[in-house]
Amino acid sequence: MAEKVLIIGSLGQVGRELFESLCGDYGVENVIASDVKESADIKGRYEQLDVLDKDRLYSLIKKEGVTQVYNLAALLSATAEKNPAFGWKLTIDGQFNVLELAKEGHIKKIFWPSSIAVFGPTTPKQQTPQKTVIEPNTVYGIGKLAGEMWNQYYHEKFNVDVRGVRYPGLIGWKSLPGGGTTDYAVDIFYSALRGESFDCFLSHDTSLPMMHMEDAIRATREIMEAPAENIKLRTCYNISAMNFNPQQLAKEIKNHIPNFEITYHPDYRQEIASTWPASINDTEARVHWGWKEKYDMPGLVRNMIKNLKDKV
Ligand code: AKB
């Protein structure tokens, strides 16, 4: 049977690029973008959908014969802190609706994004392993951890084919992030290319795991396309590409834009970042389904500047 794909939350930073990538392979007629907004500037099929509306989700899946769902609907870390009840509801009730429909046999495969936010202040900070102390203290992290456990539960009890990765901070030039703690690493490029100085909301030495969006989309596609027997973890896989702090990123940008200046005024997002790992060990993803990044930090900076130059 031909695959028919539904992306939920497709107007976010990952959703927009994932839509483009999936359309390239499955054809625009076989990929449906959806989000809560009534309409969208999407080149392809778009449906208004609130993942919390299970009846509407069910009827869309039935009407279209959807086989795969990518459920990206979530409030990111900084936004979720401001609206804990809705952050939790969207993450957990939304995924519950998708898992239930898969359990009932209406969907064949699910992708669910987790995050380095599942880790917390008691987790080892360097080379954080796949399995370790996991005690998140953010709304977003608590939701992502609970979602991971539900995914594993539905796989073990009902054989639901659900797969996922723990995204680090994602940096791309095609779409903008919103509401995340790692967003500074995208915004900084816009200021640098406009000839403006950048005021960073994290301290100069806050090191975080990061990844080029192109690599993140490839990881997402690769884990979904891997043979089921290679997916030995049904929580979510650690994936890693590079780590840097704002000072190191600014220095690399200065190699291309020598006049660029950065200042630091840490705000509430510093508290979130301080609880996250500085680097990630992703051995399991590499061994089980062959994950390997393409971009390192200098490569990412070169690529961002080249592609954003005309846009900005
Ligand atoms: C965020 O900062 O909230 C996200 C993430 C690391 O999941 N980019």
Side-chain angles (χ1 to χ4, degrees):
M1 192 172 73
E3 296 294 337
K4 194 87 177 252
V5 183
L6 172 66
I7 307 174
I8 301 171
S10 62
L11 298 182
Q13 188 195 13
V14 176
R16 285 183 180 274
E17 297 209 20
L18 185 62
F19 179 70
E20 224 183 271
S21 166
L22 288 166
C23 283
D25 284 346
Y26 291 107
V28 272
E29 63 289 0
N30 292 317
V31 186
I32 304 161
S34 74
D35 212 301
V36 283
K37 278 198 187 154
E38 210 171 293
S39 60
D41 53 338
I42 286 263
K43 286 198 192 87
R45 301 200 48 201
Y46 180 78
E47 294 277 342
Q48 183 181 22
L49 172 72
D50 178 353
V51 69
L52 298 175
D53 183 348
K54 190 178 172 201
D55 292 341
R56 163 88 177 115
L57 178 63
Y58 172 72
S59 62
L60 184 61
I61 284 170
K62 280 328 269 179
K63 181 176 89 167
E64 296 288 346
V66 168
T67 56
Q68 296 185 23
V69 171
Y70 292 73
N71 178 16
L72 310 179
L75 297 187
L76 290 188
S77 54
T79 317
E81 285 307 303
K82 300 199 160 143
N83 197 347
F86 183 64
W88 169 261
K89 189 175 171 64
L90 183 59
T91 300
I92 294 304
D93 293 1
Q95 181 63 356
F96 236 97
N97 287 344
V98 177
L99 288 168
E100 276 291 300
L101 292 175
K103 173 187 153 188
E104 290 161 15
H106 306 298
I107 309 163
K108 280 199 316 195
K109 221 188 260 186
I110 303 168
F111 175 81
W112 194 74
S114 186
S115 161
I116 53 164
V118 293
F119 301 113
T122 50
T123 299
K125 261 198 161 339
Q126 301 295 340
Q127 283 300 305
T128 303
Q130 176 72 40
K131 294 187 184 193
T132 181
V133 179
I134 299 191
E135 297 179 323
N137 65 355
T138 62
V139 174
Y140 178 62
I142 293 168
K144 287 296 178 191
L145 177 58
E148 285 197 15
M149 302 324 288
W150 278 119
N151 290 346
Q152 179 173 259
Y153 182 90
Y154 271 74
H155 177 72
E156 285 173 1
K157 300 275 184 223
F158 311 117
N159 205 23
V160 168
D161 189 353
V162 53
R163 306 164 181 214
V165 294
R166 292 172 179 156
Y167 288 132
L170 301 181
I171 302 163
W173 52 272
K174 291 185 186 170
S175 55
L176 282 169
T181 301
T182 58
D183 294 7
Y184 90 85
V186 178
D187 299 341
I188 192 172
F189 286 97
Y190 286 82
S191 295
L193 284 163
R194 286 191 186 115
E196 295 164 2
S197 79
F198 181 70
D199 192 27
C200 187
F201 58 72
L202 297 184
S203 66
H204 70 282
D205 57 353
T206 305
S207 187
L208 289 170
M210 300 279 183
M211 184 177 284
H212 194 297
M213 184 59 89
E214 197 182 304
D215 276 339
I217 298 296
R218 196 165 46 73
T220 307
R221 301 289 315 274
E222 285 175 5
I223 192 171
M224 284 296 270
E225 280 152 25
E229 62 271 20
N230 292 7
I231 310 302
K232 300 180 206 302
L233 297 171
R234 296 297 180 150
T235 50
C236 286
Y237 278 90
N238 278 5
I239 53 169
S240 149
M242 66 188 83
N243 325 293
F244 55 75
N245 64 37
Q247 190 173 44
Q248 289 162 330
L249 179 59
K251 189 163 171 261
E252 189 61 37
I253 292 175
K254 261 170 139 359
N255 290 337
H256 299 262
I257 306 171
N259 292 335
F260 175 59
E261 294 295 339
I262 184 166
T263 52
Y264 303 94
H265 289 100
D267 66 14
Y268 68 100
R269 288 165 282 194
Q270 179 65 46
E271 228 179 280
I272 301 174
S274 301
T275 71
W276 289 354
S279 63
I280 292 284
N281 182 316
D282 59 358
T283 306
E284 283 83 351
R286 289 176 195 264
V287 173
H288 295 180
W289 47 275
W291 160 245
K292 188 168 174 19
E293 77 285 1
K294 179 173 142 198
Y295 288 92
D296 60 9
M297 200 258 251
L300 173 136
V301 171
R302 246 191 334 270
N303 181 270
M304 286 294 284
I305 290 178
K306 180 172 137 241
N307 286 295
L308 277 180
K309 219 183 228 156
D310 295 336
K311 212 172 155 191
V312 177

